[in-house]
Amino acid sequence: RDAQESRGLGDVYKRQAHIYYALFFLVLTPLMIFLLFRFLLKRDHSDFYHALPHSRKCIYFSFSAAAFTWIGIEVFGNTILSAILYTAFSKYITINIPGIFMFAGNIFITCLLIGSVLLFTLSLCGNIMTAIVVFLMLFFIPRILLSGYG
């Protein structure tokens, strides 16, 4: 460990995370949720899905489980592939492999948080603009209040 720190490689993981992981919760999660639940925003599509012989709860849980399963597959698949490549080139790269999996778990939990808030707002709102505004309000106002009064 001392040899790694003397070369400046001990804190590489702590200083900079892989920027493409941010795409999972900034782009991929909202995109998947909007694409799967866009039927809630159009009357004729909503009537079709609610006319199916499944309960609304079944449709909601199956679609959200499908979205979160795909997000989990993509996050952890990317992490496993990266860990394999880092292990294969461990002679040239010094990376904390368990830290990568912890980071992937944190990314997945962040995706769950953003997806659940977005699902809640899509259930409340009738169009896309109000859903985005309510999502931003629900997601950022508690943080602003905590940082302003904390």
Side-chain angles (χ1 to χ4, degrees), residues 25-26 29-30 109-119 135 139:
F25 60 87
L26 292 176
T29 302
I109 290 171
T110 305
C111 290
L112 287 176
L113 173 69
I114 289 176
S116 62
V117 172
L118 196 56
L119 283 171
F135 166 74
F139 202 72

Side-chain angles (χ1 to χ4, degrees), residues 1-116:
R1 181 159 170 95
D2 293 333
Q4 288 178 354
E5 289 177 356
S6 66
R7 290 184 296 183
L9 297 174
D11 291 329
V12 168
Y13 178 72
K14 294 177 186 174
R15 281 193 305 246
Q16 56 183 345
H18 204 279
I19 190 68
Y20 294 117
Y21 274 105
L23 292 177
F24 283 118
F25 60 87
L26 292 176
V27 175
L28 184 68
T29 302
L31 185 67
M32 288 184 77
I33 297 298
F34 277 129
L35 287 177
L36 281 176
F37 287 93
R38 69 177 173 235
F39 70 90
L40 291 172
L41 305 175
K42 296 181 180 176
R43 176 70 182 185
D44 54 343
H45 294 189
S46 178
D47 290 342
F48 170 74
Y49 276 103
H50 293 310
L52 292 175
H54 299 288
S55 66
R56 292 179 182 185
K57 188 187 301 185
C58 176
I59 293 172
Y60 177 81
F61 284 125
S62 64
F63 280 20
S64 59
F68 292 134
T69 301
W70 275 108
I71 290 168
I73 288 171
E74 291 172 359
V75 168
F76 290 112
N78 187 9
T79 304
I80 290 170
L81 181 65
S82 297
I84 290 170
L85 290 174
Y86 289 147
T87 306
F89 295 109
S90 63
K91 181 179 178 182
Y92 308 105
I93 302 172
T94 305
I95 297 287
N96 181 8
I97 300 294
I100 293 173
F101 286 102
M102 186 184 314
F103 181 67
N106 290 338
I107 292 293
F108 183 68
I109 290 171
T110 305
C111 290
L112 287 176
L113 173 69
I114 289 176
S116 62

Side-chain angles (χ1 to χ4, degrees), residues 117-143:
V117 172
L118 196 56
L119 283 171
F120 180 69
T121 59
L122 281 174
S123 298
L124 289 178
C125 300
N127 65 24
I128 193 96
M129 285 308 296
T130 56
I132 291 172
V133 169
V134 171
F135 166 74
L136 292 173
M137 286 172 40
L138 285 175
F139 202 72
F140 288 114
I141 285 179
R143 179 66 183 160

